[in-house]
Amino acid sequence: MGSKNKLKRFQENETFPNVIQPTREEIVSGFSLKGKWNTHFKNDNPIVLELGCGKGEYTVGLAKRFPNKNFIGIDIKGARFWKGAKTAIEEGLTNVTFVRTQIELVDLVFGEEEVTEIWITFPDPQIKYKRTKHRMTNSEFLKRYKQILTPTGTVNLKTDSEFMHGYTLGLLHGLGLEVLYANHDVYKNEGSPQEVIEIQTFYENQYLEKGKPITFIRFRVN
């Protein structure tokens, strides 16, 4: 993507009513919407996050499927989720918002037990050991998720990485956390949740064309 195109998208994001771009200082010093996201959506519907939402395809897809829930896509790269934000506006989806921030600040953006569900779709598996701290299902991230999730809240991991799938399962079992569902190939096994097989991202389609299996885990951190 050229710099001019990126700049145009950044400028458009500033005009979108469904895009919020707080500074790190605003979040660290006390984010105004923390614990008050119901005032943003003007309802008390459950809040669902997609962390590392990329182009926002899953956030928008889930919002269409579950109109009685509110969906928030989070990514540090605003030029990426511009597409999802624009699509949501064009399709009149009022239950979609995108927040430009770093995922490690998620517990400062949302209040205790404010979120009912988290989706992590096709994250970078960070295979090298020295990159363990950046894996989005490592123990430190799980602690952050626990702070913002309701007691029965769930985390969903959808990935093409067998490494990420295995790493996460091993960690969950080691911590004694509840695994609600786990599948090494969601398109070849019956019983996969419909929202897992019916919503596909651009990159997911590329993986499928190459014959890569798509894995999925649904679990609790409380």
Side-chain angles (χ1 to χ4, degrees):
M1 186 189 302
S3 57
K4 287 185 178 180
N5 202 10
K6 276 189 177 181
L7 181 59
K8 181 181 178 182
R9 292 185 175 188
F10 287 140
Q11 291 173 337
E12 276 199 74
N13 277 347
E14 292 178 0
T15 69
F16 289 163
N18 60 356
V19 171
I20 299 173
Q21 303 184 88
T23 64
R24 186 183 181 92
E25 183 180 353
E26 287 173 331
I27 292 175
V28 172
S29 62
F31 186 50
S32 61
L33 283 173
K34 180 180 179 181
K36 302 176 183 178
W37 279 96
N38 62 318
T39 63
H40 169 77
F41 288 106
K42 297 181 175 60
N43 61 56
D44 292 319
N45 292 341
I47 293 174
V48 181
L49 310 183
E50 184 190 4
L51 303 180
C53 66
K55 296 181 180 181
E57 297 145 303
Y58 231 88
T59 300
V60 172
L62 288 167
K64 290 180 183 178
R65 189 174 182 86
F66 302 103
N68 294 322
K69 294 181 180 181
N70 298 318
F71 293 87
I72 302 175
I74 298 179
D75 207 297
I76 192 61
K77 297 186 177 180
R80 285 186 182 175
F81 66 60
W82 164 87
K83 182 177 181 181
K86 191 175 182 68
T87 299
I89 291 172
E90 291 173 345
E91 298 191 11
L93 298 172
T94 58
N95 62 332
V96 178
T97 290
F98 290 91
V99 179
R100 182 175 181 267
T101 191
Q102 295 166 305
I103 295 167
E104 55 263 35
L105 300 178
V106 69
D107 55 321
L108 300 179
V109 176
F110 299 93
E112 188 176 339
E113 298 184 13
E114 191 172 22
V115 176
T116 61
E117 194 172 5
I118 291 173
W119 283 81
I120 303 169
T121 55
F122 303 96
D124 186 332
Q126 308 285 1
I127 293 176
K128 292 183 178 179
Y129 178 75
K130 64 181 181 180
R131 301 290 297 176
T132 301
K133 66 180 181 179
H134 297 291
R135 289 179 202 149
M136 289 176 61
T137 56
N138 69 28
S139 57
E140 290 304 311
F141 273 113
L142 295 184
K143 289 177 184 176
R144 292 187 176 99
Y145 304 156
K146 182 176 181 179
Q147 287 185 47
I148 63 174
L149 280 167
T150 61
T152 58
T154 56
V155 181
N156 305 282
L157 172 66
K158 187 178 184 183
T159 176
D160 65 304
S161 170
E162 280 289 342
F163 169 81
M164 188 71 169
H165 182 82
Y167 164 82
T168 303
L169 273 181
L171 182 62
L172 295 173
H173 289 313
L175 293 172
L177 297 175
E178 183 181 7
V179 176
L180 301 171
Y181 182 87
N183 196 320
H184 284 272
D185 194 337
V186 295
Y187 294 105
K188 288 188 178 179
N189 294 293
E190 295 182 4
S192 298
Q194 289 300 302
E195 66 270 27
V196 174
I197 59 177
E198 291 183 359
I199 303 174
Q200 297 178 355
T201 68
F202 171 79
Y203 292 109
E204 181 176 356
N205 283 317
Q206 288 189 330
Y207 301 144
L208 291 171
E209 286 176 4
K210 294 177 182 178
K212 296 189 72 173
I214 305 300
T215 71
F216 179 73
I217 309 172
R218 175 169 286 164
F219 59 95
R220 290 199 174 106
V221 291
N222 289 303

